[in-house]
Amino acid sequence: MQHTFTLAAWNFRLARRSLLALWDFFAAQQAAVILWRAAQPGAAGLGLASHYYATMQIFAYLGFYLLTALEAGLATHNSRRARSGYTWATLPGTPGQKFAAKAITIAAAELVFAAWQLVWYIVEFYPVTALEGWRRRQMYGAVLPAANLYEQVVTNNLFARLLPRRPAQLVILLGILALSAAMLAALDTVRGWRKLPAFASGLFCAWVCFYIVSIEQHLEWLLDEPRYAFRIAAAAVLAVLTVWWAVRSIRRGEAA
């Protein structure tokens, strides 16, 4: 197990510069569009959560979340250090260890990005609040009570899903994190036409996960409708087969 984490740390070291550049670009575009909207006369007093929703940053987050996972995997192949011969594929270890290391790297990058979004959201709160206060002073001649940071976090659609408030929600989020890391690691591992079934399997699993998140407060619905349980079972089987196929692909590459 220690060797697996060593490989994962090496992978993350290869990916850190490209990930930092990606996250900086994400933060810059988010600050630009949110501050622009907060400066509009009609948006005075709406609050950061409203600006976040209106500028479609939840979709930007999901897009950069996917790019983060893909970059964490691709960096082990594309960096100069990787081309010099020290990669997850050339370092010692079994195919299972190498695949697990890649999945751990992706999961760690996803967690760091989610934490970065929360921190950056809190940082944005203060200039947005100041800008809204200035705008209200111009429009009404007085400063209304400032928005509350806690309220702006709780009413944000993204954080309402990402910040667990119940044990079941925490288990679901950890399961989705592990599943997404495994499926994206498999997609990055296989080559050629094999990427198509891996992509289709990951897309189906993502669809099932989004449905589970949407009904997380009413999990009993899964028991009332057998077709939902069948979809979850099918996603689990596809995930296991995809991971097995990816590990087999590593083994074939080593044999070649």
Side-chain angles (χ1 to χ4, degrees):
M1 194 66 181
Q2 182 179 359
H3 183 67
T4 301
F5 283 111
T6 300
L7 290 176
W10 180 262
N11 290 343
F12 200 89
R13 185 168 181 266
L14 291 175
R16 69 186 189 281
R17 291 184 180 178
S18 54
L19 287 176
L20 286 174
L22 181 68
W23 296 341
D24 287 344
F25 179 75
F26 167 76
Q29 67 82 28
Q30 183 171 110
V33 296
I34 286 181
L35 289 174
W36 171 82
R37 185 173 189 270
Q40 303 304 307
L46 294 181
L48 177 57
S50 173
H51 303 323
Y52 191 94
Y53 178 79
T55 55
M56 304 185 71
Q57 285 304 300
I58 188 169
F59 298 106
Y61 170 84
L62 293 174
F64 277 89
Y65 183 88
L66 178 60
L67 289 176
T68 292
L70 293 175
E71 185 62 36
L74 291 175
T76 60
H77 300 295
N78 296 337
S79 70
R80 286 182 295 178
R81 288 193 185 94
R83 286 198 293 270
S84 69
Y86 297 98
T87 70
W88 69 276
T90 58
L91 290 171
T94 65
Q97 286 177 323
K98 293 176 180 179
F99 179 83
K102 185 179 285 291
I104 291 172
T105 303
I106 292 174
E110 291 174 335
L111 278 175
V112 172
F113 178 63
W116 168 239
Q117 170 63 109
L118 177 60
V119 171
W120 187 244
Y121 186 83
I122 294 173
V123 170
E124 290 172 329
F125 171 79
Y126 297 100
V128 167
T129 302
L131 188 58
E132 287 190 335
W134 171 77
R135 176 61 69 181
R136 286 196 296 266
R137 188 181 297 110
Q138 279 193 330
M139 295 178 62
Y140 308 116
V143 179
L144 300 178
N148 182 278
L149 175 59
Y150 176 77
E151 293 176 353
Q152 295 304 311
V153 171
V154 171
T155 56
N156 185 291
N157 289 335
L158 175 65
F159 298 127
R161 303 296 183 185
L162 291 184
L163 296 177
R165 298 178 300 278
R166 294 171 293 277
Q169 188 179 13
L170 177 61
V171 171
I172 290 172
L173 288 175
L174 291 177
I176 291 176
L177 176 68
L179 179 62
S180 65
M183 298 303 288
L184 287 166
L187 182 63
D188 181 63
T189 300
V190 298
R191 292 289 177 264
W193 65 269
R194 297 177 182 86
K195 284 187 177 292
L196 290 177
F199 176 77
S201 178
L203 200 62
F204 178 76
C205 290
W207 175 65
V208 172
C209 288
F210 275 119
Y211 176 76
I212 293 176
V213 169
S214 66
I215 66 166
E216 177 268 327
Q217 297 185 34
H218 305 283
L219 292 179
E220 65 275 6
W221 292 355
L222 297 176
L223 301 177
D224 296 336
E225 294 290 343
R227 67 177 184 272
Y228 298 145
F230 173 77
R231 292 171 185 170
I232 295 174
V237 171
L238 281 175
V240 171
L241 290 177
T242 304
V243 169
W244 171 80
W245 200 11
V247 174
R248 187 168 177 266
S249 177
I250 297 175
R251 187 175 290 111
R252 283 198 307 266
E254 290 180 341

